Amino acid sequence: MRRPVIGIIGNSYLINDQYPAHAAGEMNAQAVAEVSNALPLIVPSDPDMVCLDALMATCDGFLFTGGRPNVHPEEYGEEPTEAHGAFDRARDRVALPLIRACVARGQPIFGICRGFQEVNVAMGGSLHPEIRDLPGRDNHRMPPDGTLEEKFALRHKVTFSEGGVFHRLMGAPEVMTNTLHGQGIKVPGARIVIDGYAPDGTPEAIYIKDAPGFTLSVQWHPEWNAADDQVSRPLFEAFGEACSAWAAGALRKAG
């Protein structure tokens, strides 16, 4: 059987502040290829370049990655402020309807950081623009200085619901994770189940209740050291297995 194809939702960049490009982090593609045992395919985050139906027919699952721009607050009925930061409206117009379509048909999705937030917004939820400004919350942002190893270092625990989806997957009630985000869930969307929290109460692990397919999403960055990290590896393995199952089912239907 062929390896499943996993679409990695890209981000828009300017190379040398001049040349526009769509790209995704190498560590995302490496995690998909090596741990999910799938073919990574970077998807341009521009609705003028992609047809969702064709995209879903081409890919067996989708990885919604992190990115510097945030989901525009208009997507959850709020006005933008300086605290909301930069936006990528083209990615919003690809990611949000794609998430809803995949959830409806059971096609696997995996959300990371911004992708985690996209899943919540796609299901009707809202976001806090800046977690560290909330009373009693910690600063979850990426350290401004240091090596990549220092930026992606494990910084806090995530505690899972007893006997929940993440607890069973990890084989542990709590794990240590990195943290590199500014925003976070304010109001969970319809059917969003918060299955893991940071010590300060920030939601860190979610899935969609009664979804027919894989819908796990995390606020941290498991793509870092995914092959060797005992928290990251189970996530990408389970995602890959779900995409392989989808590919096998699609092939049987096609035959």
Side-chain angles (χ1 to χ4, degrees), residues 2-7 56 58-62 107-108 242-243 246-247 250:
R2 68 171 174 85
R3 296 172 75 194
V5 177
I6 294 179
M56 294 173 73
T58 301
C59 298
D60 301 299
F62 294 94
Q107 196 158 356
C243 294
W246 177 269

Side-chain angles (χ1 to χ4, degrees), residues 31-137:
V32 164
E34 296 181 1
V35 187
S36 297
N37 193 30
L39 175 66
L41 179 67
I42 297 175
V43 176
S45 53
D46 188 329
D48 294 332
M49 299 181 186
V50 298
C51 164
L52 292 191
D53 288 340
L55 189 58
M56 294 173 73
T58 301
C59 298
D60 301 299
F62 294 94
L63 178 65
F64 295 85
T65 63
R68 185 173 297 277
N70 296 308
V71 179
H72 199 288
E74 287 181 356
E75 298 291 349
Y76 46 91
E78 297 184 11
E79 293 295 322
T81 67
E82 187 175 340
H84 284 94
F87 306 116
D88 184 345
R89 295 301 272 142
R91 173 162 167 164
D92 292 344
R93 289 193 291 272
V94 170
L96 300 180
L98 179 58
I99 289 168
R100 289 188 282 264
C102 286
V103 170
R105 71 187 299 192
Q107 196 158 356
I109 60 170
F110 182 19
I112 291 175
C113 199
R114 175 189 160 115
F116 168 97
Q117 295 162 11
E118 285 173 332
V119 170
N120 185 57
V121 172
M123 300 303 293
S126 62
L127 304 173
H128 289 294
E130 189 64 77
I131 289 291
R132 62 184 174 181
D133 291 343
L134 299 174
R137 297 290 188 93

